[in-house]
Amino acid sequence: MSKKLVIKVTAGADSPERCSQAFTVAAVAVASGVEVSLWLTGESAWFALPGRAAAFELPHSAPLPDLIESILAGGRITLCTQCAARRDIAEKDVLDGVRIAGAQVFVQEAMTDGTQALVY
């Protein structure tokens, strides 16, 4: 049985250290061969849009666009349905490889055997 990691990031530019930690952990897990599903909720939802991650800055942290690229290369990024709707974000607006899905899918992923869930 392979190990899986589901990460929900609730923070964006409003809490840059917490936000960066979530993306960093996800990227490191992907690089380590772990199956990763990163969920963008709350203020992190904006990072599903092209160009938004480039404006994110946090000293001594990896650039957010690079982390997103790494995660998408070997894992999955999902934007919360309700969070997208509250921000008028549609499927056509998001980065290639990002999907929009709801709580039912999150719960299904988090409850799968062999899965560890983290919330930032």
Side-chain angles (χ1 to χ4, degrees):
M1 170 174 39
S2 64
K3 198 72 172 158
K4 299 174 187 172
L5 183 60
V6 176
I7 300 173
K8 180 185 275 193
V9 55
T10 63
D14 59 325
S15 185
E17 286 184 298
R18 194 162 35 118
C19 177
S20 180
Q21 289 168 358
F23 282 92
T24 300
V25 167
V28 168
V30 167
S32 300
V34 176
E35 184 179 331
V36 173
S37 178
L38 178 72
W39 283 72
L40 306 177
T41 67
E43 286 302 298
S44 72
W46 295 114
F47 298 126
L49 297 174
R52 288 294 184 106
F56 181 86
E57 292 184 15
L58 182 63
H60 309 290
S61 66
L64 198 53
D66 294 350
L67 295 173
I68 290 171
E69 184 179 325
S70 295
I71 297 163
L72 285 173
R76 172 183 292 147
I77 297 179
T78 305
L79 171 59
C80 162
T81 301
Q82 290 182 14
C83 299
R86 280 191 281 277
R87 290 161 180 80
D88 294 321
I89 300 172
E91 286 277 352
K92 65 177 178 49
D93 302 322
V94 300
L95 295 165
D96 287 341
V98 173
R99 70 175 177 167
I100 297 178
Q104 179 183 0
V105 177
F106 175 80
V107 171
Q108 182 181 15
E109 286 186 8
M111 298 305 296
T112 302
D113 287 341
T115 299
Q116 173 69 50
L118 302 173
V119 178
Y120 285 89

